[in-house]
Structures are given as C-alpha cells and as structure tokens.
Amino acid sequence: MKDKQLEKVRKGDFLLLPHYMKWVAILPVLCGIVLFFLKEYQQFLNDDVATSMAGHLILLGFLLIMLSRDKFPDERLLNLRHKAMAYAFIHGMILVIVTPFLTYLLSSLFRSGTELYFMDYGVFSIFIFQIMYLINYWRFKQDL
Amino acid sequence: MKNTIHVQRAIHKMTQADLSEAIGVSRQTINSIEKSRYVPSTILALKIARTFKVPVEELFELEESDDR
C-alpha cells in the first residue's frame, strides 16, 4: 500500500467521501421530497413505486451526508463520528421498539378497541438511524 | 486528566489557532483539550509536547478521578 493510503487507514477515515459530497447529497434529498409531494401529479410511476423511490432517494442523500468528511477532519471529529454512530444505533433501536407500544397507548386513550399494530419499519428505521446520527454528531460538536 | 497547555501557549505566545496549525488539528480540538473535554491520542499528546519542547508529563497530569 502507498504511504498516502496507509496514512488514511491509520487515521481511520479511508471510508469517508470528500467534503463536497455533503452538498451533492442535497440533490437526491430534494428530488425525493419533490417526488413524494408531487407523486399524484405524475404519470410515469404508480403511487407505491413513487413513494418507495422518494424514500430511497432521501435515504441515499442522508447516507452521503453521513459519510462525507468534515472540512477540517481530525482525530476528535473522527472520535465524535464513531460516538454518534454508536448513540444513533442505540437511540434508534429503542425508538423502534417503543414506538408501537407508545402509539397503542396514545390511541387507546382516545379510541376504544384499538389494536396493537406493528408497521413495517424497513425504510423508516434506517431513516431514524441516520437522523439520530446527524443530531448526535452535531450535538457532540457543539459540546466544546 | 488536567493539562497545562494554555500555560505553555502563554509562555510560547501562541494562540489556539497557532497551535492547531502546528500540529494539524482544528482550533476547536485544542479548545476541547484545554477544557479537558477531550483526551487526545498519544500521538497528538506527543506532537503537542514536541511543539512546546517539554516532556509529555509536564503537559498532562492524572487526577484522582482517573484512578477509578
């Protein structure tokens, strides 16, 4: 391996994308949001495919933001990135587990005969992980 | 872990920005280390010591809470 590559591996940031990808990532997120709100007005895709595609575009955008390098990367930010990922995983999992019961509890307060309903968390749970990661990473960076 | 980086900076008339540039980290990282919110890696600690030309023990000191 070349010296430059070795240095990157040592720093632990060899998997990260260039900083400008943070701005490139806005494109799929915006496309996803636009597609989600305008799906009824287009004729190319059916409703389910359009919704799913919008969700995946937003996920792709957030993944690019998550994996983009900071402007001035150093060991502290790498440390915070790892910490944020760990917290995001735990917070996301707790949220996924608690949400159906919380929803059931809240809806049974207002309606009788409510059933416990577990919705498909496939896309939604990944989105939670990403949001949690970004929030935690931002929060740690503010904690100077 | 206590540290005397701000004292050494004052002795060497260096700002946080100067030190961060000398060792290749962000100014926020120097700030976090000085406030003991972030414990630097051994590599970074040695780089700071080398910049100030002092042994690393003179910069960092263990506290009672670190023994727990």
Side-chain angles (χ1 to χ4, degrees):
Chain A
M1 225 186 286
K2 287 176 189 169
D3 281 357
K4 211 174 175 183
Q5 278 174 306
L6 263 177
E7 181 68 9
K8 278 188 171 184
V9 172
R10 190 183 63 74
K11 281 183 178 172
D13 66 355
F14 55 99
L15 278 173
L16 300 177
L17 301 165
H19 177 68
Y20 67 80
M21 288 304 283
K22 240 172 206 164
W23 303 108
V24 174
I26 291 171
L27 191 69
V29 172
L30 282 180
C31 288
I33 292 169
V34 169
L35 182 62
F36 185 79
F37 286 108
L38 298 181
K39 63 187 177 198
E40 288 162 22
Y41 304 102
Q42 54 86 34
Q43 295 157 351
F44 306 105
L45 303 165
N46 74 41
D47 238 29
D48 289 342
V49 175
T51 308
S52 178
M53 191 177 275
H56 280 74
L57 279 168
I58 294 170
L59 287 184
L60 172 70
F62 274 94
L63 182 67
L64 292 177
I65 293 171
M66 281 172 64
L67 297 179
S68 298
R69 201 168 282 135
D70 289 271
K71 213 168 188 177
F72 304 108
D74 63 15
E75 63 165 53
R76 176 178 149 269
L77 291 184
L78 194 66
N79 203 297
L80 295 183
R81 189 183 285 276
H82 293 161
K83 204 169 154 186
M85 280 182 182
Y87 270 82
F89 180 73
I90 294 163
H91 289 166
M93 286 306 289
I94 290 172
L95 206 62
V96 166
I97 293 165
V98 165
T99 300
F101 298 102
L102 208 63
T103 313
Y104 172 67
L105 195 75
L106 288 174
S107 56
S108 61
L109 285 177
F110 303 104
R111 274 185 303 179
S112 56
T114 310
E115 284 179 18
L116 191 56
Y117 173 67
F118 290 89
M119 64 181 273
D120 174 25
Y121 281 108
V123 170
F124 186 57
S125 59
I126 296 172
F127 185 64
I128 287 172
F129 288 137
Q130 293 175 339
I131 291 292
M132 289 289 187
Y133 166 80
L134 293 170
I135 292 171
N136 283 315
Y137 194 39
W138 176 81
R139 192 164 59 88
F140 294 145
K141 280 204 276 190
Q142 303 306 308
D143 192 18
L144 289 173
Chain B
M1 193 163 71
K2 287 189 292 189
N3 69 76
T4 56
I5 294 174
H6 67 288
V7 177
Q8 288 295 334
R9 272 201 306 107
I11 292 169
H12 289 82
K13 293 188 175 65
M14 281 178 104
T15 62
Q16 287 187 342
D18 295 334
L19 180 59
S20 67
E21 205 174 308
I23 59 173
V25 295
S26 65
R27 194 193 55 75
Q28 285 87 347
T29 297
I30 299 298
N31 190 35
S32 292
I33 296 170
E34 283 191 5
K35 288 184 176 173
S36 298
R37 287 186 182 272
Y38 175 65
V39 179
S41 69
T42 314
I43 293 173
L44 199 54
L46 288 168
K47 277 184 183 175
I48 298 169
R50 190 174 63 187
T51 306
F52 293 135
K53 298 185 179 69
V54 292
V56 81
E57 295 89 340
E58 209 171 295
L59 283 175
F60 298 97
E61 195 186 327
L62 285 172
E63 288 178 297
E64 253 181 52
S65 58
D66 294 317
D67 292 332
R68 274 182 235 143

